[in-house]
C-alpha cells in the first residue's frame, strides 16, 4: 500500500471525528450553548487524574465487548447479542463464585471460566440456529438478549436472591464473593494511593486484546475466519468449513463476551446486583465499528467513548445538558461507518490504479 | 372419513392451526383461564399488536426494496419521542404527524447510508439505533427537563386523546345519535362454548376503537394494494428481487430503494406515535422495548407479506396482552403447549421421525409437569414469551420462507446496463 | 428479402484482446440466423454491440437499412431489438405478467392496468404459440417456461429482432424441441432471430443461415443447404490444429488419481455426471474436452469434496479420499486451479502473502505445530511465485485485486503448482488471460508434468487441450463419451463428440 493511502486510512477516524464534532457544535449552537466552553469544560474535566482512572475503568468492559463483537465481524457475522451473553455469564459466574471456596488464583480463574463458558453457550445457540435452522444471527442474538435478560431477572428474584437481615425480604442480588474471589485494585502496585481505584482487570483486557490479535491474525483458524469474511466462496474452495466456522466464531465471540462483566464482578461489585451495568454489549458494537475491528483501534475507541461519558458529567453543573454526549456518540458512529466505507472504496480503486501504473512502467 | 383424512394430509399447517385454536377454546372454558378469550383481552391484543404491525409494514417496504432494516427500532424511538412532544404541545393528531416525520428522517438517513454510500445494512441499522437512542435522550433533556412530570427519560402527559367509536348494534356504538344494543357483549356474557369466545374476539375488535387504530388496521389492505396492484409496488418489489434486471428495464433502482427505506421509517415513526398516544399517554425511555426488532422478525416469518405481519403482530400482541391482563391465564398456555407438543410427538412418531418425536414427547411431559406443579408462570418468563416465540417460529419456518432474493446486498448503479 | 441487420467492419478490442476484428455480414429479416464459434470466438462481444451494451471501436451497424448508434440497450429496444439472455433477467418472486410489463408504465400509484395487460399478453402468447399461465410466479416455472417468458417479455415490448444467447445451454432435450418449434413459429410470423450457439447439431436443425466466428474474426457465412456439420466444425476449429509436441514419455506407471464409477448426486432432476472412470498416472496430463455445462464444474467440485457424490470412489495414489472433507483432501495433496479466480481462487481484498496461504492454511508449510500461521514462509513463497511465474506486481504486499487478470491467474497457478502437490486439478486454467500469460501457464503446466505431477485438465480451449494432454477424453452430458489420442485427434472428431454427434 502506498504511504499516502496508509496515512489516509489512518486519518479517516480523525476526519470522521472532526465531522462529528462539527455536527455537535451545530447542535450546541441550536440550543444556545457555547460550543467552545462546552468542549473546554469537557476536556479539562476529562483529563483530571480522577477522571483518567474512571475512563480507564470504564474502557475495560467496553473494550472486551468490542473484541467479542469484532470476532464475529471478522468473519462476516453480527453478534448483536453480547448484551445478553455477558449479563447471563456474569450472573452465573457470580453465583458459582459466591458458593465456591478456592485458593485465590484458582477461584478468580474459575469465575472467569464459568462466565466465558455460559456466555459462549448462549452465543452458540445462535450459531446452531443459523447452521441447522437457517435463522439469521442478527434476529436470534437480539431475541436471546431479551430472553437472557428475562432469565437473569428470574434467577435474581427467585433463586439467587439474598435474604436481608431479618430474613423477610428477598433482595435480588447474589452473595459476596469471598476474598479469594476478588481482585484488588492496582493502585498499590502502581503507587497511585491517592487516586480512585484502578481496576486490575485492565490487565485482563490487555490479554483479551492480545489474544484477539493472535487468534485472528496469527493462527490458521483466524486465517479461515478472515478469509470467510472476505470471500466465503474462495474460503470454501480452500477447505474452510463454513458451518463449523459459524458455530466456532459464535462460541469464541460469546466466550469473550463472558469476560465483559468480570472487571465489575471481581474488581468492583464483588457480586451481581441489579446495579450491575447493562448496555455494555451495545456499546461494544459502537466501539468495534469505531475501531474498525482493529485491536489497537478498538482500544482507542473504548477510551474515546469512556472519555465522552466521563467528561460530559461536568456539563450539567454548567447548565449544559450532559446528554449531548449521547447524541455525540450516535453521530460519531454514523459518520464513522459512512466515512470508513467511502474511504475503503477509494483506497481500493487507488490501489488498482497504482498497481497498473507501476506495472506499465516496468514493461 | 377418508375425505377428512385427506383434508388433513393436504392442509397440515391449517389443521395444526385449527387444532391449537380448538384447544385454546377448550382451555378458555376453565374458569381460571377465561381471560384467554374475553373481549378485554382481544382489545388489549389489538392495542399492543398495532405498533408491531405498523413497524412491520414499514419493514416490508424496506426489505421488499432490498434493504435490511434493523433500524426499525431506532426509527420507532424517534416516533415515540416526536409523537409525544407534538402531542403534548399541540394535541394527539399533531403527535401522529410529528411521529411519522421523526421516523421518516431516520429512515432517510438509513437510505442515504445504505443506498448511496453502500454501508452494510446491518451496520447502518445498528448505528441508527444508537443514534436514535442518544437523540431521544438529548431531546428529552432539552425539551422536558424543566417541565413538571417531565425529565431526562420521560415527557409530560400528552394533552387530549384520539376519539374512538364502536360498531352500532353489534358492539353498542351510536347510530344516528341513538345508543344501540351491544349484541356481542350479550353473547359473550352467556358463556357459551365457541359462540361467547368468538363474540369476545369480535367485540374486542369493534368496541371503543380509536380512529388511529382504525387507520392503522386499514393500512394493511392499503399496503397490499400499493405493493401488489400499482406500478409503483411492482417496481419496488422487482428492485429487491433482481435489481440488475430492473435497471435493464429502465427502472430507477436507487429511487425505489430510497422510497422503500424512507417509508419504512415513516411507518415505524407512526408505530412509535401510536405507542405513546394510544398506550401510555407519555413518552418514556425504552418504551419501544425491542418492538422494532420483533416487527422485523414478524416481517420475516410473515414471509414479507402484510397479512403475515398482521398474524405475527397479532400473536405477539396476544402474548403481551395476556401478560398484562391476567397472569393466571398465561398459566393455561402451559397446558396448551403441552397438548400441542403431545400431538406433534404422535404425528412425528407415526412418521418414523423417532428422535424428534421423542424430544417432542419429553417436552410435552415437561410442560405438563410444570403446569400441574404451579399456579402461575413467573413474570419474567412471560415477559420474553414474544421473543422465544419468535425464535421457535423462525426455527421451524426459516427454511420454507421466501425472502426477496437480493435483500441485504449492496447494489451499485450501472450493473444493469 | 430485406436485410434486418447489416454488420459492416465492426471491430472491438479490450486490453490485450481483439474481441472483434472487422466483422461483416448481413442478417436477412424473417430468418433464423445462427452464429457459431467456440468460447472466446467473439460471439458475445458482437451480441453486446448489437444490443447496445457495448460500443464498437470501428464499423457501422445498420438496422433495417438505417445506421444505428446505440448508447444503451434502451436504444436497441427502441429499434426493435430484443435480447434473451442466457441468465434470465427475471424477478423470480413476481408473476409472469408482472415481469412482462415491469417498468412499462412508470411507478405511479394508479391501479395497474391488469385487465389490459393480461389479455394482451394472452393474445401475444397465442399468436406466437408460446403457451404460459401468466398468473404463475416465476419461481414455480421450469427453465423452458422461464425462457418463454423472456421471449414474450421482449416481444411485448415491440421487438421484431430477437437475439438468443446460447438459449439451449440450460434446457433439457424436450425443452429444446419445444423452443425450436416456438422459434420456427416466430419466424413464420416475420420475426428475425439471431441464434448464438456452439452446438452444431442444433444449429443445423434450426438455422436458415449460419455465420461462423473464430478468434474474433468472421470466418464465413453459409446457407444451411450448403452446410454440413463437418464443414461447420472445420470452420469453427480451424484447419490446422496445433500439433502436440513430441516428447519423451515420462508417464510413470504409478497411479496418481483414480475415479471409479463416480456418479454425482442429481440436482434439479439432472444427474450432473455419470459413471466416470478415469485413471491418471504420475507425470501425465489428462485432458477433458467439452462444451461448458456438461458436468465439468460438478465433477471438479466432487473431486474437491464440494459436490456430493452419490456412488463411486475417488483414490489419490492409493488413499481413498471419497469421504474426506475438502480440507483433508487439500492436505492429502490435491491442488486446484479454479475456473473463476476472482470468486473461487483469491481473496482479492487481501495481499499476495495472505493469498499464497489460501488452500494450504493448515498444511505444515504455513501452519506451525501450535496452529500459528507461518507468515515467513508465506512471504518467501509468495516472492518466489511472483518471480518464477512472472507475476507483475509492485510487491507481494499489493492487494490481489490490484493485479490484472493474467497476473492474478499466473499467481494462482504458481501457488497451486508450488509446494509439491500430488495431484493438480486445473479447471480452465487460461480462461480470459492474455496470450503472454497463457503461454507461461502452459509451459509451467508442462514443466510440472515433466517433474512427475499428475494433472486433470478441464478445458473448453482445444488448443490448450491438444497442446498439453497426454490423453484426452470428451465429456458430453455428464458422460465421458470418447477417449481420443491427442496426436491423432481431428477437429471433426472433437467437434462431433463435443457436440454430441459422434455417439
Amino acid at each position: 500500500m502506498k504511504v499516502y493511502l496508509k496515512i489516509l486510512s489512518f486519518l479517516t477516524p480523525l476526519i470522521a471525528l472532526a465531522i462529528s464534532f462539527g455536527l455537535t457544535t451545530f447542535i450546541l449552537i441550536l440550543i444556545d450553548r457555547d460550543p467552545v466552553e462546552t468542549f473546554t469544560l469537557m476536556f479539562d474535566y476529562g483529563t483530571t487524574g480522577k477522571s483518567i482512572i474512571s475512563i480507564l475503568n470504564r474502557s475495560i468492559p467496553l473494550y472486551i465487548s468490542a473484541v467479542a463483537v469484532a470476532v464475529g465481524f471478522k468473519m462476516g457475522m453480527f453478534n448483536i447479542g453480547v448484551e445478553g451473553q455477558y449479563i447471563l455469564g456474569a450472573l452465573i459466574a457470580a453465583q458459582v463464585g459466591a458458593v465456591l471456596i478456592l485458593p485465590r488464583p484458582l477461584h478468580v480463574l474459575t469465575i472467569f471460566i464459568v462466565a466465558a463458558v455460559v456466555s459462549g453457550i448462549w452465543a452458540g445457540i445462535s450459531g446452531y440456529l443459523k447452521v441447522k435452522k437457517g435463522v439469521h444471527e442478527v434476529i436470534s442474538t437480539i431475541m436471546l438478549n431479551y430472553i437472557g435478560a428475562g432469565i437473569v431477572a428470574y434467577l435474581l428474584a427467585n433463586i439467587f436472591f439474598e435474604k436481608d437481615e431479618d430474613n423477610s425480604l428477598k433482595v435480588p442480588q447474589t452473595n459476596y464473593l469471598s476474598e479469594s474471589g476478588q481482585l484488588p485494585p492496582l493502585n498499590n502496585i502502581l503507587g497511585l494511593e491517592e487516586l480512585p481505584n484502578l481496576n486490575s482487570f485492565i490487565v485482563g483486557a490487555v490479554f483479551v486484546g492480545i489474544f484477539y490479535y493472535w487468534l485472528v491474525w496469527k493462527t490458521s483458524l483466524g486465517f479461515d475466519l478472515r478469509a470467510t469474511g472476505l470471500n466465503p466462496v474462495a474460503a470454501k474452495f480452500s477447505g474452510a468449513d463454513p458451518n463449523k466456522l459459524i458455530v466456532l466464531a459464535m462460541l469464541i465471540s460469546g466466550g469473550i463476551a463472558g469476560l465483559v462483566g468480570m472487571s465489575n464482578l471481581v474488581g468492583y461489585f464483588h457480586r451481581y446486583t441489579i446495579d450491575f451495568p447493562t448496555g455494555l454489549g451495545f456499546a461494544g458494537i459502537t466501539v468495534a465499528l469505531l475501531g474498525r475491528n482493529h485491536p489497537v483501534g478498538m482500544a482507542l475507541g473504548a477510551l474515546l467513548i469512556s472519555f465522552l461519558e466521563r467528561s460530559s458529567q461536568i456539563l450539567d453543573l454548567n447548565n449544559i445538558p450532559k446528554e449531548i454526549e449521547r447524541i455525540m456518540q450516535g453521530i460519531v458512529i454514523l459518520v464513522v461507518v459512512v466515512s470508513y466505507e467511502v474511504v475503503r472504496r477509494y483506497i481500493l480503486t487507488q490501489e488498482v490504479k497504482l498497481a497498473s501504473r507501476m506495472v506499465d512502467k516496468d514493461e | 372419513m377418508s375425505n377428512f383424512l385427506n383434508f388433513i394430509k393436504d392442509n397440515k399447517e391449517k389443521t395444526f392451526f385449527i387444532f391449537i385454536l380448538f384447544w385454546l377454546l377448550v382451555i378458555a372454558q376453565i374458569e381460571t383461564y377465561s381471560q384467554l378469550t374475553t373481549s378485554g383481552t382481544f382489545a388489549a391484543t389489538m392495542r399492543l399488536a398495532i405498533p408491531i404491525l405498523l413497524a412491520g409494514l414499514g419493514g416490508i417496504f424496506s426489505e421488499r426494496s432490498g434493504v435490511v432494516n434493523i433500524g426499525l427500532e431506532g426509527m420507532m424511538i424517534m416516533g415515540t419521542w416526536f409523537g409525544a412532544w407534538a402531542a403534548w404541545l399541540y394535541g394527539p393528531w399533531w403527535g401522529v404527524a410529528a411521529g411519522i416525520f421523526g421516523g421518516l428522517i431516520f429512515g432517510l438517513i438509513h437510505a442515504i447510508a445504505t443506498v448511496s454510500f453502500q454501508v452494510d445494512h446491518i451496520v447502518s441499522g445498528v448505528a441508527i439505533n444508537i443514534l436514535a437512542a442518544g437523540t431521544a435522550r438529548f431531546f428529552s433533556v432539552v425539551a422536558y427537563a424543566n417541565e413538571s412530570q417531565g425529565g431526562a427519560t420521560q415527557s409530560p402527559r400528552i394533552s387530549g386523546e384520539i376519539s374512538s367509536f364502536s360498531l352500532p348494534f353489534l358492539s353498542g356504538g351510536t347510530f344516528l345519535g341513538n345508543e344501540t344494543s351491544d349484541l356481542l357483549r350479550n353473547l359473550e356474557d352467556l358463556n357459551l362454548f365457541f359462540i361467547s369466545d368468538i363474540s369476545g374476539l369480535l367485540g374486542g375488535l369493534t368496541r371503543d376503537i380509536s380512529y388511529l387504530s382504525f387507520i392503522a388496521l386499514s393500512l394493511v389492505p392499503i399496503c397490499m394494494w400499493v405493493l401488489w396492484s400499482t406500478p409503483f409496488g411492482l417496481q419496488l418489489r422487482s428492485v429487491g428481487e433482481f435489481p440488475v434486471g430492473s435497471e435493464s428495464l429502465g427502472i430507477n433502482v436507487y429511487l425505489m430503494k430510497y422510497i422503500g427505506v424512507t417509508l419504512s421509517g415513516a411507518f415505524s415513526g407512526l408505530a412509535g406515535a401510536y405507542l405513546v398516544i394510544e398506550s401510555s399517554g407519555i413518552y418514556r425511555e425504552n418504551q419501544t422495548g425491542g418492538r422494532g426488532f420483533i416487527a422485523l422478525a414478524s416481517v420475516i416469518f410473515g414471509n414479507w407479506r402484510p397479512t403475515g405481519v398482521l398474524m405475527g403482530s397479532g400473536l405477539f400482541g396476544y402474548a403481551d396482552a395476556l401478560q398484562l391482563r391476567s397472569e393466571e391465564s398465561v398459566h393455561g398456555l402451559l397446558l396448551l403447549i403441552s397438548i400441542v407438543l403431545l400431538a406433534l410427538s404422535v404425528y412425528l412418531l407415526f412418521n418414523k421421525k423417532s428422535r424428534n418425536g421423542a424430544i417432542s414427547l419429553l417436552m410435552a411431559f415437561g410442560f405438563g409437569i410444570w403446569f400441574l406443579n404451579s399456579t402461575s408462570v413467573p413474570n419474567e418468563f412471560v415477559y420474553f414469551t414474544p421473543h422465544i416465540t419468535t425464535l421457535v417460529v423462525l426455527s421451524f419456518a426459516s427454511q420454507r420462507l421466501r425472502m426477496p432474493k437480493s435483500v441485504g446486498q449492496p447494489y451499485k448503479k450501472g450493473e444493469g446496463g | 428479402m430485406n436485410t434486418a441487420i447489416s454488420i459492416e467492419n465492426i471491430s472491438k478490442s479490450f486490453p490485450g484482446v481483439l474481441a472483434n476484428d472487422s466483422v461483416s455480414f448481413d442478417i436477412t429479416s424473417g430468418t433464423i440466423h445462427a452464429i457459431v464459434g467456440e468460447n472466446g470466438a467473439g460471439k458475445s462481444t458482437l451480441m453486446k454491440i448489437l444490443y447496445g451494451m457495448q460500443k464498437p471501436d470501428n464499423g457501422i451497424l445498420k438496422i433495417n437499412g438505417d445506421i444505428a448508434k446505440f448508447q444503451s440497450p434502451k436504444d436497441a429496444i427502441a429499434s426493435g431489438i430484443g435480447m434473451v439472455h442466457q441468465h434470465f433477467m427475471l424477478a423470480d418472486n413476481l408473476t409472469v405478467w408482472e415481469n412482462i410489463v415491469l417498468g412499462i408504465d412508470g411507478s405511479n400509484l394508479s391501479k395497474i392496468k391488469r385487465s389490459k395487460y393480461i389479455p394482451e399478453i394472452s393474445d401475444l402468447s397465442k399468436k406466437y404459440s408460446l403457451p404460459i399461465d401468466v398468473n404463475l410466479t416465476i419461481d414455480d416455472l421450469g427453465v423452458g417456461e422461464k425462457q418463454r417468458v423472456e421471449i414474450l417479455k421482449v416481444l411485448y415490448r415491440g421487438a421484431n429482432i430477437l437475439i438468443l444467447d446460447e438459449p439451449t445451454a440450460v434446457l433439457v432435450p424436450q425443452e429444446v424441441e419445444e423452443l425450436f418449434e416456438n422459434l420456427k413459429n416466430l419466424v413464420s410470423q416475420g420475426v428475425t432471430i439471431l441464434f448464438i450457439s456452439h452446438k452444431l447439431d442444433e444449429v443445423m436443425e434450426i438455422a436458415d443461415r449460419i455465420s461462423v466466428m473464430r478468434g474474433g474474426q468472421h470466418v464465413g457465412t453459409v446457407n444451411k443447404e450448403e452446410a454440413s456439420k463437418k464443414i461447420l466444425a472445420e470452420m469453427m476449429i480451424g484447419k490446422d490444429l496445433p500439433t502436440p509436441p513430441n516428447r519423451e514419455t515420462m508417464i510413470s506407471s504409478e497411479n496418481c488419481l483414480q475415479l471409479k464409477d463416480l456418479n454425482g448426486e442429481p440436482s434439479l432432476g439432472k444427474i450432473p455426471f455419470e459413471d466416470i472412470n478415469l485413471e491418471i498416472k504420475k507425470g501425465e496430463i489428462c485432458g477433458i474436452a467439452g462444451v461448458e455445462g456438461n458436468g465439468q464444474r460438478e465433477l471438479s467440485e466432487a473431486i474437491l469434496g464440494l459436490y456430493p457424490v452419490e456412488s463411486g470412489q475417488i483414490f489419490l495414489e492409493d488413499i481413498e479420499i471419497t469421504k474426506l472433507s475438502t480440507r483433508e483432501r487439500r492436505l492429502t495433496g490435491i491442488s486446484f486451479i479454479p475456473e473463476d479466480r476472482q470468486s473461487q481462487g483469491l481473496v482479492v481484498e487481501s495481499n499476495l502473502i495472505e493469498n499464497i496461504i489460501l488452500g494450504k492454511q493448515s498444511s505444515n508449510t504455513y501452519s506451525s505445530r501450535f496452529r500459528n500461521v507461518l507468515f515467513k514462509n508465506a512471504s518467501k513463497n509468495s516472492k518466489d511465485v511472483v518471480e518464477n511465474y512472472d507475476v507483475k506486481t509492485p510487491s507481494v504486499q499489493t492487494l490481489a485485486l490490484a493485479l490484472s487478470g493474467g497476473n492474478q491467474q499466473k499467481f494462482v497457478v504458481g501457488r497451486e503448482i508450488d509446494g509439491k502437490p500430488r495431484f493438480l486439478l486445473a479447471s480452465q486454467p487460461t480462461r480470459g488471460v492474455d496470450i503472454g500469460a497463457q503461454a507461461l501457464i502452459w509451459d509451467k503446466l508442462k514443466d510440472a508434468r515433466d517433474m512427475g505431477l499428475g494433472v486433470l485438465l478441464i478445458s473448453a480451449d482445444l488448443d490448450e487441450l491438444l497442446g498439453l494432454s497426454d490423453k484426452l477424453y470428451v465429456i458430453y452430458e455428464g458422460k465421458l463419451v470418447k477417449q481420443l489420442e491427442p496426436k491423432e485427434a481431428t477437429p471433426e472428431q472433437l467437434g462431433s463428440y463435443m457436440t454430441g454427434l459422434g455417439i
Side-chain angles (χ1 to χ4, degrees), chain C residues 32-81:
Chain C
I32 299 181
H33 192 115
I35 300 177
V36 297
E38 286 184 68
N39 295 320
K43 294 169 302 191
S44 26
T45 306
L46 188 62
M47 290 313 108
K48 281 180 183 159
I49 291 170
L50 280 180
Y51 192 53
M53 288 163 84
Q54 264 156 13
K55 279 182 242 173
D57 300 340
N58 283 309
I60 298 170
L61 196 63
K62 284 184 190 160
I63 309 295
N64 297 320
D66 302 324
I67 293 182
K69 284 197 170 140
F70 297 149
Q71 299 299 317
S72 77
K74 264 187 218 163
D75 299 342
I77 294 168
S79 309
I81 296 180

Side-chain angles (χ1 to χ4, degrees), chain C residues 392-418:
Chain C
K392 295 201 178 67
T393 173
S395 78
V396 289
Q397 267 99 26
T398 305
L399 303 188
L401 92 168
L403 270 56
S404 71
N407 284 309
Q408 287 179 345
Q409 189 69 8
K410 284 189 276 185
F411 184 80
V412 170
V413 170
R415 175 183 75 196
E416 297 301 329
I417 292 180
D418 243 35

Side-chain angles (χ1 to χ4, degrees), chain B residues 208-222:
Chain B
D208 294 327
I209 302 303
S210 94
Y211 285 100
L212 190 55
S213 300
F214 180 74
I215 291 172
L217 287 175
S218 52
L219 280 172
V220 175
I222 291 175

Side-chain angles (χ1 to χ4, degrees), chain B residues 229 232 235 237 241 402 405, chain C residues 92 98 106 108 112 139:
Chain B
S229 298
F232 162 76
Q235 291 205 2
R237 285 182 293 131
E241 182 73 9
R402 171 64 170 79
K405 225 168 238 166
Chain C
D92 288 350
E98 286 176 330
N108 56 56
I112 200 159
D139 265 334

Side-chain angles (χ1 to χ4, degrees), chain C residues 10-235:
Chain C
I10 294 272
S11 294
K12 174 82 186 173
S13 65
F14 297 105
V17 199
L18 190 55
N20 281 172
D21 186 1
S22 37
V23 175
S24 302
F25 60 90
D26 289 346
I27 295 154
T28 313
S29 67
T31 60
I32 299 181
H33 192 115
I35 300 177
V36 297
E38 286 184 68
N39 295 320
K43 294 169 302 191
S44 26
T45 306
L46 188 62
M47 290 313 108
K48 281 180 183 159
I49 291 170
L50 280 180
Y51 192 53
M53 288 163 84
Q54 264 156 13
K55 279 182 242 173
D57 300 340
N58 283 309
I60 298 170
L61 196 63
K62 284 184 190 160
I63 309 295
N64 297 320
D66 302 324
I67 293 182
K69 284 197 170 140
F70 297 149
Q71 299 299 317
S72 77
K74 264 187 218 163
D75 299 342
I77 294 168
S79 309
I81 296 180
M83 175 93 136
V84 176
H85 298 268
Q86 191 182 352
H87 304 287
F88 304 133
M89 298 287 242
L90 298 171
D92 288 350
N93 67 350
L94 303 191
T95 63
V96 169
W97 72 269
E98 286 176 330
N99 264 290
I100 291 173
V101 305
L102 181 61
I104 279 183
D105 50 8
S107 64
N108 56 56
L109 283 173
S110 62
K111 183 159 172 43
I112 200 159
K113 296 180 213 110
R114 211 184 140 176
S115 52
K116 168 174 169 276
Y117 294 141
I118 290 189
E120 279 179 3
I121 295 168
S122 301
D123 288 351
L124 200 68
S125 90
K126 269 192 212 112
K127 181 179 169 196
Y128 293 113
S129 311
L130 296 163
I132 192 88
D133 181 347
V134 294
N135 288 313
L136 287 178
T137 307
I138 302 294
D139 265 334
D140 300 330
L141 300 183
V143 179
E145 290 169 307
K146 284 186 191 168
Q147 196 168 51
R148 232 176 282 157
V149 177
E150 279 280 30
I151 294 172
L152 275 171
K153 182 168 110 184
V154 169
L155 291 172
Y156 190 76
R157 281 151 209 266
N160 52 26
I161 301 169
L162 290 191
I163 304 173
L164 285 91
D165 185 11
E166 311 245 357
T168 60
V170 287
L171 302 180
V172 298
Q174 297 89 319
E175 289 173 328
V176 171
E177 285 308 307
E178 264 176 65
L179 172 70
F180 285 179
E181 280 307 304
N182 293 334
L183 294 184
K184 282 174 191 159
N185 238 311
L186 286 171
V187 169
S188 71
Q189 310 246 6
V191 177
T192 309
I193 289 174
L194 247 82
F195 185 95
I196 303 164
S197 179
H198 46 211
K199 298 189 182 172
L200 296 181
D201 51 343
E202 289 175 355
V203 166
M204 285 302 295
E205 186 185 336
I206 188 77
D208 302 311
R209 275 162 71 78
I210 302 148
S211 292
V212 182
M213 293 194 66
R214 187 176 74 230
Q217 289 177 326
H218 171 232
V219 183
T221 299
V222 286
N223 288 324
K224 178 160 83 178
E225 296 77 41
E226 305 151 10
S228 72
K229 288 157 208 165
K230 190 171 168 236
I231 293 173
L232 289 177
E234 273 177 21
M235 286 168 81

